[in-house]
Amino acid sequence: MEKRDSETLHILKERSQLSSRLFFEGLLVGAFAGLIAIIYRLLLTNAENLYFTIVSFVKGNVIYIILWLIGLVILGIIISLFLKYEPYISGSGIPQVEAEVQGQINQCWYKILISKMIAGTLCIVGGLSLGREGPSIQLGAMVGKAVSQFFHRIKTEERFLLTCGAAAGLSAAFNAPLAGIMFALEEVHKNFSTSALVSVMCASITGDFLSRQIFGLSPSLHFVLENTLPLHHYVWLLVLGIATGLLGAFYNKMTMTSLKLYDKIPFLKSHQKVIIPLFISGILGLYIPQVIGGGHVLVDYLNSDHIVLSTLIILLIVKFIFSLLSFGSGAPGGIFFPLLILGSLIGAIFGQVAILCGVEDIYFVNFIIFAMAGFFAGIVRAPITGIVLIAEMCGTLKLLLPIATVSFIAYIIANSIGSEPIYESLLHRLTKNKNPIDYIENKELISFVVSLGSIAVNQTVASLQLPPRCLLVSLMRGKNEIIPHGDTQFYVGDQVIIIVDKYRIEESKEKLAEIFTFS
Protein backbone atom coordinates (compact mmCIF):
# COMPACT_ATOMS: atom_id res chain seq x y z
CA MET A 1 0.00 0.00 0.00
CA GLU A 2 2.85 2.40 0.88
CA LYS A 3 4.46 1.67 -2.50
CA ARG A 4 1.22 2.50 -4.32
CA ASP A 5 0.77 5.73 -2.35
CA SER A 6 4.38 6.71 -3.02
CA GLU A 7 3.93 6.02 -6.73
CA THR A 8 0.74 8.10 -6.85
CA LEU A 9 2.45 11.01 -5.08
CA HIS A 10 5.37 10.79 -7.55
CA ILE A 11 3.00 10.92 -10.52
CA LEU A 12 1.09 13.88 -9.03
CA LYS A 13 4.37 15.71 -8.35
CA GLU A 14 5.51 15.14 -11.92
CA ARG A 15 2.14 16.33 -13.24
CA SER A 16 2.48 19.66 -11.43
CA GLN A 17 5.61 20.36 -13.51
CA LEU A 18 4.30 18.82 -16.72
CA SER A 19 2.77 21.88 -18.41
CA SER A 20 5.84 24.08 -17.93
CA ARG A 21 8.22 21.35 -19.09
CA LEU A 22 6.29 20.28 -22.17
CA PHE A 23 6.82 23.63 -23.91
CA PHE A 24 10.62 23.35 -23.78
CA GLU A 25 10.64 19.62 -24.36
CA GLY A 26 8.40 20.14 -27.39
CA LEU A 27 10.99 22.51 -28.84
CA LEU A 28 13.79 20.05 -28.10
CA VAL A 29 11.98 17.06 -29.61
CA GLY A 30 10.89 19.15 -32.60
CA ALA A 31 14.49 20.17 -33.31
CA PHE A 32 15.93 16.65 -33.16
CA ALA A 33 12.95 14.99 -34.87
CA GLY A 34 13.07 17.63 -37.60
CA LEU A 35 16.77 16.98 -38.19
CA ILE A 36 16.20 13.22 -38.41
CA ALA A 37 13.30 13.72 -40.84
CA ILE A 38 15.44 16.07 -42.96
CA ILE A 39 18.28 13.54 -43.14
CA TYR A 40 15.81 10.78 -44.05
CA ARG A 41 14.20 12.97 -46.71
CA LEU A 42 17.60 13.74 -48.26
CA LEU A 43 18.53 10.06 -48.23
CA LEU A 44 15.32 9.05 -50.00
CA THR A 45 15.61 11.82 -52.59
CA ASN A 46 19.11 10.69 -53.51
CA ALA A 47 18.05 7.04 -53.39
CA GLU A 48 15.27 7.68 -55.92
CA ASN A 49 17.68 9.55 -58.19
CA LEU A 50 20.11 6.64 -57.91
CA TYR A 51 17.39 4.19 -58.99
CA PHE A 52 16.59 6.13 -62.17
CA THR A 53 20.29 6.57 -62.92
CA ILE A 54 20.81 2.80 -62.72
CA VAL A 55 17.71 2.08 -64.84
CA SER A 56 18.82 4.50 -67.56
CA PHE A 57 22.27 2.86 -67.54
CA VAL A 58 21.08 -0.78 -67.84
CA LYS A 59 18.20 -0.12 -70.24
CA GLY A 60 18.77 -1.74 -73.62
CA ASN A 61 21.49 -4.13 -72.43
CA VAL A 62 20.20 -7.62 -71.60
CA ILE A 63 23.23 -8.59 -69.49
CA TYR A 64 23.04 -5.39 -67.44
CA ILE A 65 19.30 -5.90 -66.93
CA ILE A 66 19.85 -9.45 -65.62
CA LEU A 67 22.57 -8.22 -63.27
CA TRP A 68 20.27 -5.40 -62.13
CA LEU A 69 17.46 -7.85 -61.31
CA ILE A 70 19.91 -10.07 -59.40
CA GLY A 71 21.11 -6.98 -57.54
CA LEU A 72 17.52 -6.17 -56.53
CA VAL A 73 17.11 -9.67 -55.10
CA ILE A 74 20.31 -9.22 -53.08
CA LEU A 75 19.03 -5.83 -51.96
CA GLY A 76 15.84 -7.55 -50.79
CA ILE A 77 17.87 -10.05 -48.76
CA ILE A 78 19.73 -7.17 -47.05
CA ILE A 79 16.47 -5.40 -46.22
CA SER A 80 15.04 -8.68 -44.90
CA LEU A 81 17.93 -8.91 -42.43
CA PHE A 82 16.99 -5.49 -41.02
CA LEU A 83 13.34 -6.60 -40.79
CA LYS A 84 14.40 -9.72 -38.92
CA TYR A 85 16.63 -7.66 -36.60
CA GLU A 86 13.85 -5.16 -35.80
CA PRO A 87 10.34 -6.25 -36.95
CA TYR A 88 8.74 -2.96 -35.84
CA ILE A 89 10.33 -1.10 -38.77
CA SER A 90 7.93 -2.92 -41.10
CA GLY A 91 5.36 -0.77 -42.92
CA SER A 92 4.74 2.91 -42.42
CA GLY A 93 5.37 3.04 -38.67
CA ILE A 94 2.19 4.95 -37.84
CA PRO A 95 0.38 1.91 -36.34
CA GLN A 96 3.50 1.22 -34.28
CA VAL A 97 3.43 4.77 -32.89
CA GLU A 98 -0.28 4.49 -32.09
CA ALA A 99 0.30 1.15 -30.37
CA GLU A 100 3.16 2.65 -28.35
CA VAL A 101 0.99 5.58 -27.26
CA GLN A 102 -1.68 3.09 -26.17
CA GLY A 103 0.87 1.07 -24.20
CA GLN A 104 0.52 -2.08 -26.30
CA ILE A 105 4.10 -2.32 -27.58
CA ASN A 106 7.49 -1.06 -26.44
CA GLN A 107 9.87 -0.14 -29.27
CA CYS A 108 13.62 0.21 -28.86
CA TRP A 109 14.14 3.78 -30.07
CA TYR A 110 17.75 3.47 -31.25
CA LYS A 111 17.13 0.19 -33.11
CA ILE A 112 14.16 1.79 -34.90
CA LEU A 113 16.09 4.94 -35.82
CA ILE A 114 19.05 3.08 -37.30
CA SER A 115 17.19 0.21 -38.97
CA LYS A 116 14.31 2.26 -40.38
CA MET A 117 16.55 4.87 -41.96
CA ILE A 118 18.87 2.34 -43.60
CA ALA A 119 16.22 -0.17 -44.69
CA GLY A 120 13.82 2.56 -45.81
CA THR A 121 16.52 4.13 -47.97
CA LEU A 122 17.37 0.76 -49.52
CA CYS A 123 13.69 0.23 -50.39
CA ILE A 124 13.69 3.45 -52.40
CA VAL A 125 17.00 2.50 -54.04
CA GLY A 126 15.02 -0.55 -55.16
CA GLY A 127 12.21 1.62 -56.54
CA LEU A 128 9.35 0.53 -54.25
CA SER A 129 6.17 2.60 -54.25
CA LEU A 130 6.46 3.82 -50.68
CA GLY A 131 6.34 7.18 -48.93
CA ARG A 132 8.59 8.90 -46.42
CA GLU A 133 5.87 10.55 -44.32
CA GLY A 134 4.82 7.53 -42.25
CA PRO A 135 8.42 6.53 -41.49
CA SER A 136 9.19 10.17 -40.63
CA ILE A 137 6.37 10.05 -38.08
CA GLN A 138 7.79 6.89 -36.52
CA LEU A 139 11.34 8.26 -36.53
CA GLY A 140 10.16 11.49 -34.94
CA ALA A 141 8.21 9.61 -32.28
CA MET A 142 11.30 7.56 -31.43
CA VAL A 143 13.23 10.81 -30.95
CA GLY A 144 10.51 11.82 -28.48
CA LYS A 145 10.93 8.51 -26.67
CA ALA A 146 14.71 8.97 -26.56
CA VAL A 147 14.34 12.43 -24.97
CA SER A 148 11.83 11.06 -22.47
CA GLN A 149 14.13 8.22 -21.41
CA PHE A 150 17.16 10.51 -21.25
CA PHE A 151 15.37 12.76 -18.72
CA HIS A 152 13.68 9.79 -16.95
CA ARG A 153 10.15 11.07 -17.53
CA ILE A 154 7.01 9.26 -16.42
CA LYS A 155 5.03 7.32 -19.02
CA THR A 156 2.36 10.01 -19.34
CA GLU A 157 4.95 12.60 -20.32
CA GLU A 158 6.65 10.14 -22.66
CA ARG A 159 3.42 9.77 -24.63
CA PHE A 160 3.17 13.53 -25.02
CA LEU A 161 6.73 13.55 -26.37
CA LEU A 162 5.96 10.66 -28.75
CA THR A 163 3.15 12.79 -30.17
CA CYS A 164 5.45 15.82 -30.42
CA GLY A 165 8.00 13.81 -32.36
CA ALA A 166 5.33 12.42 -34.68
CA ALA A 167 4.10 15.94 -35.46
CA ALA A 168 7.61 17.25 -36.13
CA GLY A 169 8.40 14.28 -38.36
CA LEU A 170 5.35 14.81 -40.57
CA SER A 171 5.84 18.58 -40.60
CA ALA A 172 9.45 18.26 -41.79
CA ALA A 173 8.54 15.59 -44.34
CA PHE A 174 5.76 17.65 -45.95
CA ASN A 175 6.70 21.25 -45.04
CA ALA A 176 3.17 21.37 -43.64
CA PRO A 177 3.25 22.30 -39.92
CA LEU A 178 -0.51 22.60 -39.41
CA ALA A 179 -1.07 19.17 -40.97
CA GLY A 180 1.61 17.78 -38.65
CA ILE A 181 -0.21 19.22 -35.63
CA MET A 182 -3.63 17.98 -36.73
CA PHE A 183 -2.48 14.48 -37.67
CA ALA A 184 -0.58 13.98 -34.42
CA LEU A 185 -3.55 15.07 -32.32
CA GLU A 186 -6.35 13.63 -34.46
CA GLU A 187 -4.81 10.28 -35.38
CA VAL A 188 -1.98 9.54 -32.91
CA HIS A 189 -2.83 11.21 -29.58
CA LYS A 190 -6.61 11.31 -30.14
CA ASN A 191 -6.89 14.17 -27.66
CA PHE A 192 -6.87 17.96 -28.05
CA SER A 193 -5.93 18.89 -24.47
CA THR A 194 -4.13 22.19 -23.89
CA SER A 195 -0.89 20.49 -22.83
CA ALA A 196 -0.87 18.33 -25.95
CA LEU A 197 -1.77 21.21 -28.27
CA VAL A 198 0.92 23.61 -27.02
CA SER A 199 3.76 21.06 -26.98
CA VAL A 200 2.80 19.57 -30.35
CA MET A 201 2.60 23.03 -31.93
CA CYS A 202 6.08 23.86 -30.66
CA ALA A 203 7.49 20.62 -32.03
CA SER A 204 5.75 20.83 -35.41
CA ILE A 205 6.70 24.46 -36.06
CA THR A 206 10.31 23.78 -35.05
CA GLY A 207 10.51 20.79 -37.39
CA ASP A 208 8.99 22.80 -40.23
CA PHE A 209 11.36 25.73 -39.65
CA LEU A 210 14.40 23.47 -39.92
CA SER A 211 13.01 21.71 -42.98
CA ARG A 212 12.40 24.98 -44.82
CA GLN A 213 16.02 25.98 -44.26
CA ILE A 214 17.04 23.00 -46.40
CA PHE A 215 14.16 22.47 -48.85
CA GLY A 216 12.82 26.01 -49.26
CA LEU A 217 9.37 27.43 -48.62
CA SER A 218 7.31 25.29 -51.00
CA PRO A 219 5.53 22.15 -49.76
CA SER A 220 6.92 18.80 -50.92
CA LEU A 221 3.89 18.23 -53.18
CA HIS A 222 2.87 21.40 -54.94
CA PHE A 223 0.29 22.20 -57.61
CA VAL A 224 -0.10 25.70 -59.02
CA LEU A 225 -3.73 26.80 -58.82
CA GLU A 226 -4.88 29.84 -60.79
CA ASN A 227 -8.70 29.55 -60.79
CA THR A 228 -11.37 28.87 -58.18
CA LEU A 229 -14.17 26.46 -59.06
CA PRO A 230 -17.46 28.44 -59.38
CA LEU A 231 -20.47 27.45 -57.29
CA HIS A 232 -22.53 26.23 -60.25
CA HIS A 233 -19.97 23.43 -60.75
CA TYR A 234 -20.28 22.15 -57.15
CA VAL A 235 -22.50 19.27 -58.26
CA TRP A 236 -19.28 17.74 -59.57
CA LEU A 237 -17.91 17.82 -56.02
CA LEU A 238 -20.77 15.62 -54.85
CA VAL A 239 -19.93 13.04 -57.50
CA LEU A 240 -16.21 13.27 -56.76
CA GLY A 241 -16.81 12.90 -53.01
CA ILE A 242 -18.85 9.74 -53.56
CA ALA A 243 -16.25 8.33 -55.98
CA THR A 244 -13.26 9.00 -53.70
CA GLY A 245 -15.13 7.64 -50.67
CA LEU A 246 -15.89 4.36 -52.48
CA LEU A 247 -12.39 4.12 -53.92
CA GLY A 248 -10.88 4.88 -50.52
CA ALA A 249 -12.85 2.03 -48.96
CA PHE A 250 -11.75 -0.22 -51.85
CA TYR A 251 -8.12 0.77 -51.26
CA ASN A 252 -8.40 -0.15 -47.57
CA LYS A 253 -9.98 -3.49 -48.42
CA MET A 254 -7.32 -4.34 -50.99
CA THR A 255 -4.47 -3.24 -48.70
CA MET A 256 -5.58 -5.66 -46.00
CA THR A 257 -6.18 -8.33 -48.64
CA SER A 258 -2.63 -7.90 -49.96
CA LEU A 259 -1.25 -8.39 -46.45
CA LYS A 260 -3.25 -11.60 -46.06
CA LEU A 261 -2.15 -12.90 -49.46
CA TYR A 262 1.49 -12.29 -48.58
CA ASP A 263 0.93 -14.25 -45.35
CA LYS A 264 -0.05 -17.28 -47.44
CA ILE A 265 3.19 -17.38 -49.45
CA PRO A 266 4.87 -20.59 -48.24
CA PHE A 267 8.38 -20.34 -49.64
CA LEU A 268 9.38 -17.01 -48.04
CA LYS A 269 9.49 -15.98 -44.40
CA SER A 270 7.58 -12.85 -43.40
CA HIS A 271 10.68 -10.65 -43.40
CA GLN A 272 11.81 -11.97 -46.83
CA LYS A 273 8.69 -11.07 -48.84
CA VAL A 274 10.09 -7.64 -49.71
CA ILE A 275 12.11 -9.44 -52.41
CA ILE A 276 8.95 -9.88 -54.54
CA PRO A 277 8.09 -6.19 -55.15
CA LEU A 278 11.78 -5.32 -55.52
CA PHE A 279 12.11 -7.76 -58.41
CA ILE A 280 8.90 -6.39 -59.99
CA SER A 281 10.17 -2.80 -59.64
CA GLY A 282 13.19 -3.70 -61.78
CA ILE A 283 10.87 -4.64 -64.64
CA LEU A 284 8.43 -1.76 -64.19
CA GLY A 285 11.28 0.75 -64.11
CA LEU A 286 12.22 -0.24 -67.64
CA TYR A 287 8.74 0.21 -69.12
CA ILE A 288 6.59 2.39 -66.80
CA PRO A 289 9.05 4.41 -64.69
CA GLN A 290 6.29 6.86 -63.67
CA VAL A 291 4.94 4.38 -61.10
CA ILE A 292 8.29 3.92 -59.37
CA GLY A 293 9.02 5.47 -55.98
CA GLY A 294 6.72 7.71 -53.97
CA GLY A 295 5.29 9.46 -57.02
CA HIS A 296 7.18 12.69 -57.68
CA VAL A 297 7.61 11.66 -61.33
CA LEU A 298 3.82 11.44 -61.64
CA VAL A 299 3.43 14.91 -60.16
CA ASP A 300 5.67 16.27 -62.91
CA TYR A 301 3.58 14.39 -65.50
CA LEU A 302 0.29 15.82 -64.14
CA ASN A 303 1.78 19.32 -64.26
CA SER A 304 2.69 18.87 -67.93
CA ASP A 305 0.60 19.69 -71.02
CA HIS A 306 0.70 16.20 -72.55
CA ILE A 307 -1.90 14.34 -70.47
CA VAL A 308 -3.88 11.57 -72.16
CA LEU A 309 -6.93 9.99 -70.49
CA SER A 310 -6.06 6.41 -71.45
CA THR A 311 -2.52 6.87 -70.11
CA LEU A 312 -3.89 8.20 -66.82
CA ILE A 313 -6.09 5.13 -66.40
CA ILE A 314 -3.18 2.77 -67.07
CA LEU A 315 -0.93 4.66 -64.66
CA LEU A 316 -3.63 4.59 -61.96
CA ILE A 317 -4.14 0.84 -62.26
CA VAL A 318 -0.43 -0.02 -62.33
CA LYS A 319 0.46 2.43 -59.54
CA PHE A 320 -2.41 1.08 -57.43
CA ILE A 321 -1.32 -2.55 -57.81
CA PHE A 322 2.38 -1.81 -57.36
CA SER A 323 1.66 0.25 -54.22
CA LEU A 324 -0.28 -2.69 -52.77
CA LEU A 325 2.56 -5.08 -53.63
CA SER A 326 5.15 -2.74 -52.10
CA PHE A 327 3.34 -2.05 -48.83
CA GLY A 328 1.83 -5.53 -48.42
CA SER A 329 5.30 -7.09 -48.43
CA GLY A 330 6.08 -5.42 -45.10
CA ALA A 331 8.78 -3.21 -46.59
CA PRO A 332 9.84 -0.26 -44.39
CA GLY A 333 7.92 2.58 -45.98
CA GLY A 334 4.59 4.34 -45.85
CA ILE A 335 1.37 4.70 -47.82
CA PHE A 336 0.85 8.38 -47.02
CA PHE A 337 2.47 9.91 -50.08
CA PRO A 338 1.52 7.14 -52.56
CA LEU A 339 -2.15 7.43 -51.59
CA LEU A 340 -2.03 11.17 -52.28
CA ILE A 341 -0.51 10.40 -55.68
CA LEU A 342 -3.25 7.86 -56.37
CA GLY A 343 -5.77 10.52 -55.36
CA SER A 344 -4.20 12.98 -57.78
CA LEU A 345 -4.50 10.42 -60.61
CA ILE A 346 -8.16 9.84 -59.72
CA GLY A 347 -8.68 13.61 -59.80
CA ALA A 348 -6.92 13.91 -63.15
CA ILE A 349 -9.14 11.21 -64.67
CA PHE A 350 -12.23 12.80 -63.14
CA GLY A 351 -11.15 16.21 -64.39
CA GLN A 352 -10.70 14.89 -67.94
CA VAL A 353 -14.20 13.37 -67.84
CA ALA A 354 -15.67 16.60 -66.45
CA ILE A 355 -14.00 18.58 -69.25
CA LEU A 356 -15.49 16.22 -71.83
CA CYS A 357 -18.89 16.93 -70.20
CA GLY A 358 -18.55 20.68 -70.60
CA VAL A 359 -16.53 21.92 -67.60
CA GLU A 360 -13.87 24.46 -68.54
CA ASP A 361 -10.37 22.97 -68.74
CA ILE A 362 -8.96 25.75 -66.51
CA TYR A 363 -10.37 23.81 -63.52
CA PHE A 364 -8.48 20.62 -64.29
CA VAL A 365 -5.93 21.11 -61.48
CA ASN A 366 -8.76 21.87 -59.04
CA PHE A 367 -10.13 18.36 -59.44
CA ILE A 368 -6.68 16.86 -58.82
CA ILE A 369 -6.45 18.71 -55.51
CA PHE A 370 -10.03 17.92 -54.45
CA ALA A 371 -9.60 14.22 -55.21
CA MET A 372 -6.44 14.00 -53.11
CA ALA A 373 -8.34 15.37 -50.12
CA GLY A 374 -11.32 13.08 -50.69
CA PHE A 375 -9.22 9.96 -51.21
CA PHE A 376 -7.22 10.75 -48.05
CA ALA A 377 -10.41 11.20 -46.03
CA GLY A 378 -11.89 7.98 -47.40
CA ILE A 379 -8.78 5.98 -46.47
CA VAL A 380 -7.38 7.52 -43.29
CA ARG A 381 -10.70 8.87 -41.98
CA ALA A 382 -8.99 11.99 -40.62
CA PRO A 383 -10.77 14.65 -42.71
CA ILE A 384 -9.54 17.66 -40.75
CA THR A 385 -5.92 16.65 -41.30
CA GLY A 386 -6.63 16.08 -44.99
CA ILE A 387 -8.29 19.47 -45.42
CA VAL A 388 -5.45 21.30 -43.66
CA LEU A 389 -2.76 19.32 -45.50
CA ILE A 390 -4.17 19.98 -48.97
CA ALA A 391 -4.79 23.65 -48.15
CA GLU A 392 -1.15 24.01 -47.03
CA MET A 393 0.05 22.23 -50.15
CA CYS A 394 -1.84 24.70 -52.31
CA GLY A 395 -0.69 27.69 -50.29
CA THR A 396 -4.17 29.24 -50.22
CA LEU A 397 -7.38 29.05 -48.21
CA LYS A 398 -9.57 29.86 -51.22
CA LEU A 399 -10.11 26.14 -51.75
CA LEU A 400 -11.15 25.40 -48.17
CA LEU A 401 -14.87 25.09 -48.97
CA PRO A 402 -14.62 22.70 -51.96
CA ILE A 403 -11.87 20.65 -50.29
CA ALA A 404 -13.98 20.32 -47.14
CA THR A 405 -17.04 19.41 -49.21
CA VAL A 406 -15.32 16.55 -51.03
CA SER A 407 -13.54 15.38 -47.87
CA PHE A 408 -16.63 15.11 -45.71
CA ILE A 409 -18.69 13.46 -48.45
CA ALA A 410 -15.92 10.87 -48.93
CA TYR A 411 -15.68 10.43 -45.15
CA ILE A 412 -19.43 9.83 -44.82
CA ILE A 413 -19.54 7.42 -47.78
CA ALA A 414 -16.61 5.33 -46.50
CA ASN A 415 -18.10 5.21 -43.00
CA SER A 416 -21.58 4.35 -44.24
CA ILE A 417 -20.41 1.20 -46.04
CA GLY A 418 -18.57 -0.02 -42.94
CA SER A 419 -15.00 0.52 -44.11
CA GLU A 420 -12.54 0.66 -41.20
CA PRO A 421 -9.89 3.43 -41.32
CA ILE A 422 -6.65 2.03 -42.68
CA TYR A 423 -4.48 2.81 -39.68
CA GLU A 424 -7.01 1.25 -37.30
CA SER A 425 -7.01 -1.91 -39.40
CA LEU A 426 -3.22 -1.98 -39.40
CA LEU A 427 -3.16 -1.29 -35.65
CA HIS A 428 -5.50 -4.20 -34.97
CA ARG A 429 -3.33 -6.45 -37.11
CA LEU A 430 -0.17 -5.31 -35.29
CA THR A 431 -1.53 -5.71 -31.74
CA LYS A 432 -3.54 -8.88 -32.28
CA ASN A 433 -2.86 -11.34 -29.43
CA LYS A 434 -0.45 -8.90 -27.74
CA ASN A 435 -0.64 -8.08 -24.04
CA PRO A 436 -0.02 -4.57 -22.67
CA ILE A 437 3.62 -3.84 -21.89
CA ASP A 438 4.59 -4.12 -18.23
CA TYR A 439 5.92 -0.64 -17.48
CA ILE A 440 7.70 0.45 -14.34
CA GLU A 441 4.79 2.71 -13.38
CA ASN A 442 1.61 0.89 -12.40
CA LYS A 443 -0.50 4.03 -12.81
CA GLU A 444 -0.87 6.62 -15.51
CA LEU A 445 -2.35 10.08 -15.80
CA ILE A 446 -4.95 10.75 -18.48
CA SER A 447 -7.03 13.86 -19.10
CA PHE A 448 -10.33 14.72 -20.74
CA VAL A 449 -12.02 18.01 -21.58
CA VAL A 450 -15.71 18.08 -20.70
CA SER A 451 -17.46 18.62 -24.01
CA LEU A 452 -20.85 20.12 -24.79
CA GLY A 453 -23.53 17.42 -24.81
CA SER A 454 -21.55 14.96 -22.68
CA ILE A 455 -23.02 13.09 -19.71
CA ALA A 456 -20.79 14.96 -17.25
CA VAL A 457 -22.08 18.48 -18.02
CA ASN A 458 -23.70 20.03 -14.90
CA GLN A 459 -23.31 16.74 -13.00
CA THR A 460 -21.46 16.36 -9.70
CA VAL A 461 -18.54 14.04 -9.02
CA ALA A 462 -20.71 11.96 -6.68
CA SER A 463 -23.44 11.50 -9.31
CA LEU A 464 -21.03 10.07 -11.92
CA GLN A 465 -19.98 6.46 -11.82
CA LEU A 466 -16.31 6.43 -12.77
CA PRO A 467 -14.79 3.13 -13.91
CA PRO A 468 -13.14 1.01 -11.19
CA ARG A 469 -9.53 1.79 -10.23
CA CYS A 470 -9.82 5.37 -11.52
CA LEU A 471 -9.08 8.35 -9.29
CA LEU A 472 -10.17 11.89 -10.17
CA VAL A 473 -7.31 14.00 -8.81
CA SER A 474 -7.72 17.46 -10.32
CA LEU A 475 -10.01 19.70 -12.31
CA MET A 476 -8.71 22.66 -14.33
CA ARG A 477 -11.23 25.45 -14.95
CA GLY A 478 -9.48 28.09 -17.00
CA LYS A 479 -6.29 28.89 -15.11
CA ASN A 480 -7.67 27.71 -11.78
CA GLU A 481 -7.05 24.24 -10.40
CA ILE A 482 -9.85 22.77 -8.32
CA ILE A 483 -9.45 19.82 -5.96
CA PRO A 484 -12.62 17.84 -6.70
CA HIS A 485 -15.06 16.78 -3.98
CA GLY A 486 -18.28 14.84 -4.15
CA ASP A 487 -20.36 17.98 -4.73
CA THR A 488 -17.99 19.52 -7.32
CA GLN A 489 -19.92 20.22 -10.50
CA PHE A 490 -18.58 19.77 -14.04
CA TYR A 491 -18.95 22.52 -16.66
CA VAL A 492 -18.23 22.59 -20.38
CA GLY A 493 -14.53 23.21 -20.98
CA ASP A 494 -13.32 21.79 -17.67
CA GLN A 495 -10.20 19.64 -17.97
CA VAL A 496 -10.32 16.63 -15.67
CA ILE A 497 -7.14 14.81 -14.62
CA ILE A 498 -7.55 11.15 -13.70
CA ILE A 499 -5.11 8.48 -12.49
CA VAL A 500 -5.82 5.09 -14.07
CA ASP A 501 -4.47 1.62 -13.39
CA LYS A 502 -2.25 0.90 -16.41
CA TYR A 503 -3.66 -2.60 -16.78
CA ARG A 504 -7.08 -1.13 -17.51
CA ILE A 505 -6.05 1.98 -19.39
CA GLU A 506 -7.74 1.28 -22.73
CA GLU A 507 -10.92 -0.03 -21.09
CA SER A 508 -10.97 2.97 -18.74
CA LYS A 509 -10.34 5.43 -21.58
CA GLU A 510 -13.36 4.14 -23.48
CA LYS A 511 -15.66 4.40 -20.45
CA LEU A 512 -14.34 7.83 -19.45
CA ALA A 513 -14.73 9.06 -23.03
CA GLU A 514 -18.41 8.07 -22.87
CA ILE A 515 -18.77 10.25 -19.75
CA PHE A 516 -16.76 13.35 -20.64
CA THR A 517 -17.00 13.58 -24.43
CA PHE A 518 -19.88 13.74 -26.89
CA SER A 519 -19.85 11.87 -30.18
Side-chain angles (χ1 to χ4, degrees):
M1 181 65 72
E2 290 181 1
K3 181 180 179 181
R4 289 183 179 179
D5 291 341
S6 175
E7 183 183 358
T8 301
L9 289 172
H10 172 68
I11 291 174
L12 290 174
K13 181 182 178 181
E14 289 293 302
R15 188 196 72 79
S16 66
Q17 305 170 3
L18 187 63
S19 296
S20 58
R21 281 205 306 243
L22 279 176
F23 174 80
F24 297 103
E25 289 176 345
L27 290 173
L28 182 63
V29 171
F32 283 110
L35 287 173
I36 291 294
I38 289 168
I39 293 170
Y40 189 62
R41 185 171 168 181
L42 288 170
L43 286 172
L44 295 197
T45 300
N46 289 308
E48 191 168 296
N49 293 336
L50 177 60
Y51 176 90
F52 287 113
T53 300
I54 295 173
V55 168
S56 64
F57 176 75
V58 305
K59 197 170 184 178
N61 189 308
V62 176
I63 296 176
Y64 286 169
I65 291 173
I66 293 172
L67 292 174
W68 168 231
L69 294 176
I70 294 172
L72 288 173
V73 173
I74 295 172
L75 188 66
I77 294 172
I78 296 171
I79 295 170
S80 72
L81 294 176
F82 281 100
L83 287 166
K84 184 179 181 180
Y85 170 71
E86 179 47 75
Y88 284 138
I89 66 171
S90 174
S92 71
I94 293 174
Q96 288 89 323
V97 174
E98 292 180 351
E100 179 100 29
V101 170
Q102 294 178 11
Q104 299 193 62
I105 65 172
N106 185 21
Q107 301 169 87
C108 179
W109 64 266
Y110 56 86
K111 288 173 68 176
I112 295 291
L113 285 175
I114 296 169
S115 302
K116 190 86 172 189
M117 292 186 74
I118 297 174
T121 302
L122 294 178
C123 284
I124 301 303
V125 171
L128 296 190
S129 180
L130 299 169
R132 61 173 174 258
E133 291 70 27
S136 296
I137 289 171
Q138 186 182 21
L139 293 171
M142 290 303 97
V143 170
K145 185 169 186 176
V147 170
S148 172
Q149 292 188 355
F150 180 81
F151 290 111
H152 306 289
R153 301 309 188 202
I154 61 174
K155 210 65 190 177
T156 299
E157 189 165 352
E158 180 177 294
R159 289 177 179 172
F160 277 108
L161 298 182
L162 284 167
T163 308
C164 289
L170 180 58
S171 176
F174 258 134
N175 282 19
L178 294 179
I181 294 167
M182 294 307 304
F183 186 83
L185 295 176
E186 187 178 20
E187 181 65 28
V188 177
H189 198 71
K190 301 184 187 300
N191 193 312
F192 286 81
S193 66
T194 304
S195 298
L197 182 60
V198 172
S199 57
V200 168
M201 284 181 65
C202 291
S204 184
I205 292 171
T206 303
D208 177 64
F209 175 80
L210 294 175
S211 178
R212 290 177 188 270
Q213 301 303 308
I214 305 298
F215 301 107
L217 299 178
S218 297
S220 64
L221 182 60
H222 185 59
F223 288 96
V224 178
L225 187 75
E226 298 179 352
N227 301 281
T228 304
L229 190 73
L231 292 176
H232 66 269
H233 282 323
Y234 269 47
V235 66
W236 288 100
L237 300 185
L238 174 62
V239 179
L240 183 57
I242 295 171
T244 51
L246 292 173
L247 289 170
F250 179 70
Y251 177 91
N252 289 358
K253 177 70 175 177
M254 295 308 298
T255 297
M256 301 311 297
T257 300
S258 70
L259 290 166
K260 293 174 184 177
L261 290 175
Y262 267 112
D263 289 339
K264 295 179 180 179
I265 296 175
F267 55 88
L268 290 173
K269 296 179 181 179
S270 59
H271 59 276
Q272 296 173 333
K273 292 168 184 175
V274 67
I275 295 171
I276 295 173
L278 281 167
F279 186 83
I280 294 172
S281 77
I283 299 171
L284 289 177
L286 298 172
Y287 300 101
I288 315 179
Q290 295 92 337
V291 303
I292 295 300
H296 291 91
V297 177
L298 278 173
V299 173
D300 295 335
Y301 175 72
L302 293 177
N303 278 317
S304 68
D305 298 324
H306 308 289
I307 300 174
V308 180
L309 181 58
S310 58
T311 303
L312 288 173
I313 295 172
I314 293 171
L315 288 174
L316 174 62
I317 294 171
V318 177
K319 181 69 173 177
F320 182 86
I321 295 173
F322 186 51
S323 295
L324 294 179
L325 290 172
S326 297
F327 184 76
S329 69
I335 59 172
F336 211 108
F337 195 81
L339 75 83
L340 289 178
I341 296 301
L342 289 170
S344 69
L345 285 170
I346 293 168
I349 293 169
F350 188 89
Q352 290 277 37
V353 173
I355 290 169
L356 291 175
C357 294
V359 176
E360 298 87 340
D361 59 4
I362 57 175
Y363 303 120
F364 174 72
V365 176
N366 297 59
F367 289 115
I368 292 176
I369 294 168
F370 303 155
M372 281 194 291
F375 198 56
F376 181 90
I379 293 172
V380 181
R381 225 61 53 78
I384 299 175
T385 298
I387 292 166
V388 172
L389 174 62
I390 304 304
E392 283 190 289
M393 284 164 52
C394 300
T396 177
L397 295 178
K398 292 190 296 183
L399 296 179
L400 202 58
L401 177 60
I403 288 173
T405 301
V406 175
S407 295
F408 282 114
I409 292 173
Y411 176 87
I412 292 168
I413 292 296
N415 263 349
S416 65
I417 61 177
S419 172
E420 189 177 41
I422 187 62
Y423 291 124
E424 284 190 21
S425 299
L426 295 171
L427 178 61
H428 293 161
R429 176 182 168 88
L430 174 68
T431 59
K432 187 178 180 181
N433 302 324
K434 285 185 179 291
N435 295 319
I437 300 301
D438 188 14
Y439 292 118
I440 295 174
E441 300 96 350
N442 288 321
K443 299 180 179 68
E444 185 168 335
L445 280 171
I446 59 175
S447 67
F448 287 91
V449 176
V450 179
S451 62
L452 182 65
S454 66
I455 297 172
V457 174
N458 297 329
Q459 298 294 313
T460 62
V461 173
S463 66
L464 291 179
Q465 292 186 347
L466 296 180
R469 303 183 71 84
C470 290
L471 175 64
L472 178 61
V473 295
S474 179
L475 188 151
M476 297 296 298
R477 184 168 294 158
K479 295 183 178 180
N480 300 319
E481 183 171 12
I482 299 170
I483 304 301
H485 302 282
D487 58 353
T488 302
Q489 200 168 15
F490 296 101
Y491 297 104
V492 174
D494 287 349
Q495 183 180 8
V496 293
I497 312 297
I498 302 168
I499 288 183
V500 179
D501 188 317
K502 72 154 179 87
Y503 294 106
R504 294 174 174 262
I505 186 167
E506 287 308 309
E507 176 187 345
S508 299
K509 273 185 176 181
E510 291 180 8
K511 293 181 178 179
L512 290 168
E514 292 175 2
I515 296 172
F516 294 109
T517 63
F518 177 75
S519 58

